[in-house]
Amino acid sequence: MIEKNFAQNPPLPVLPMRPRDAHKGRFGTVLIVGGSLGMSGAAGLAGLAALRGGAGLVRVATPGPVLSIVAAYERSYTTIPLEADRQGRISLRAFEQVMDAAAEADWVALGPGLGRSLGLSRFVARVYSELGKPLVLDADGLNALARENGQLPRPAGPRVLTPHPGEFRRLVGSIADTRRPIEERWQLAQHWAREWGVVLVYKGHPTLVTDGVRCYFNTTGNPGMATGGSGDVLTGLIAALGAQGLEPFAAAQLAVYLHGLGGDLAAADLTEEAMIASDLIDYLPRAFRQYRNTFSCDHEPPR
């Protein structure tokens, strides 16, 4: 049985300092795939989080009907219009467009604001099983694969899945019911991460990051982060850290730490009740500074 033990956490990875002669290509390209009518903000949050997370270039691929909204959210990323269905969601016919764009990216994030449809379920399954690049799957990206039986397509490359307890239950079935003790659900998360060959970020208090062998219990975060869009921010941050060279477990581990630390800093200034998801992005610079300040010749990485 897995038990919460912060003292046994693996140390956080060290994000290398940036050389003075670095250019944007050195810090990776992230492709965010998401957004739909009514949920365009999710793609924008993920894109902006990837920028604040340090990615050199960020591109947001989103349905044509919401492109202008997503583009207006932030001027520092570029956008790609995707073919849409009649409800303003990404069409299955956009698959080749996405694969072409992904060929130019280092990491891909799929799911924020995606919506749900039969076509999207087929779209996500194809991306999951055919894309060789590292992929972060969140929100409706997870729901598109959920069969409540633990069966997922065989991944074509590294995968990071970021379910909250409800999404995890939809992936594996009633065995992961939230009425079960949290230790049992952590055990299941570790099992399925190993079974699927993925890094699993099981969100909660605390969030567990596991690849089926290693386990990291996050020490940061607060209830003020329980607000719409918080997961979209985490998705963009994981992809950004991966694009800068961290392996998938390390990228997820550092992302949940910084995400929660940004939330703690925001709560101290704004209160937990008044926090919104974009506050997490606004406080990421301070979170990075505090993380950096923990490193010196006399300090170990935080756990």
Side-chain angles (χ1 to χ4, degrees):
M1 182 68 68
I2 297 178
E3 295 182 357
K4 179 176 65 179
N5 190 333
F6 296 125
Q8 294 182 5
N9 266 346
L12 287 176
V14 178
L15 194 64
M17 297 299 292
R18 298 191 166 202
R20 301 305 299 173
D21 62 348
H23 55 84
K24 60 181 179 287
R26 181 144 185 179
F27 306 118
T29 298
V30 169
L31 175 68
I32 307 290
V33 183
S36 59
L37 281 175
M39 294 190 290
S40 56
L45 283 168
L48 184 51
L51 287 168
R52 283 294 186 197
L57 289 169
V58 176
R59 307 178 76 194
V60 182
T62 196
V66 300
L67 181 76
S68 60
I69 301 172
V70 174
Y73 195 89
E74 172 55 46
R75 294 166 293 178
S76 303
Y77 54 60
T78 59
T79 53
I80 301 170
L82 298 178
E83 189 167 351
D85 65 16
R86 293 180 180 178
Q87 285 72 43
R89 300 170 300 220
I90 295 173
S91 167
L92 177 60
R93 293 188 296 271
F95 174 76
E96 294 299 337
Q97 288 178 273
V98 169
M99 294 297 280
D100 289 345
E104 301 177 8
D106 296 290
W107 272 62
V108 179
L110 172 60
L114 198 63
R116 303 178 73 174
S117 71
L118 179 60
L120 278 170
S121 293
R122 295 172 60 191
F123 172 86
V124 172
R126 287 196 66 186
V127 172
Y128 191 89
S129 61
E130 297 182 34
L131 178 67
K133 299 291 181 72
L135 174 69
V136 187
L137 201 64
D138 182 40
D140 281 332
L142 295 168
N143 290 327
L145 296 182
R147 300 293 181 270
E148 296 195 8
N149 60 7
Q151 301 301 309
L152 292 184
R154 184 179 298 276
R159 301 290 182 256
V160 179
L161 277 56
T162 64
H164 58 57
E167 290 164 342
F168 186 63
R169 185 192 185 285
R170 288 192 284 275
L171 287 169
V172 305
S174 60
I175 192 172
D177 192 282
T178 54
R179 291 171 292 186
R180 288 180 173 269
I182 186 63
E183 292 83 4
E184 291 185 14
R185 286 180 276 134
W186 288 335
Q187 191 79 33
L188 286 168
Q190 185 182 34
H191 166 78
W192 286 108
R194 183 169 56 249
E195 186 76 12
W196 294 330
V198 305
V199 173
L200 192 69
V201 178
Y202 186 79
K203 297 173 182 173
H205 181 68
T207 289
L208 168 67
V209 180
T210 181
D211 59 2
V213 178
R214 295 172 288 180
C215 290
Y216 171 78
F217 290 98
N218 190 40
T219 59
T220 60
N222 63 79
M225 299 170 66
T227 183
S230 181
D232 304 316
V233 174
L234 178 61
T235 295
L237 185 54
I238 294 172
L241 294 172
Q244 291 170 79
L246 295 183
E247 54 92 9
F249 181 88
Q253 181 189 11
L254 183 54
V256 298
Y257 176 84
L258 290 170
H259 184 252
L261 181 56
D264 290 341
L265 293 168
D269 285 350
L270 306 174
T271 74
E272 292 176 355
E273 292 80 4
M275 285 171 58
I276 59 175
S278 58
D279 295 328
L280 303 176
I281 300 172
D282 293 340
Y283 278 82
L284 271 179
R286 285 177 56 183
F288 269 104
R289 181 178 293 113
Q290 185 166 316
Y291 161 75
R292 287 291 191 194
N293 287 343
T294 63
F295 294 102
S296 73
C297 58
D298 299 323
H299 287 80
E300 291 292 325
R303 293 180 180 269

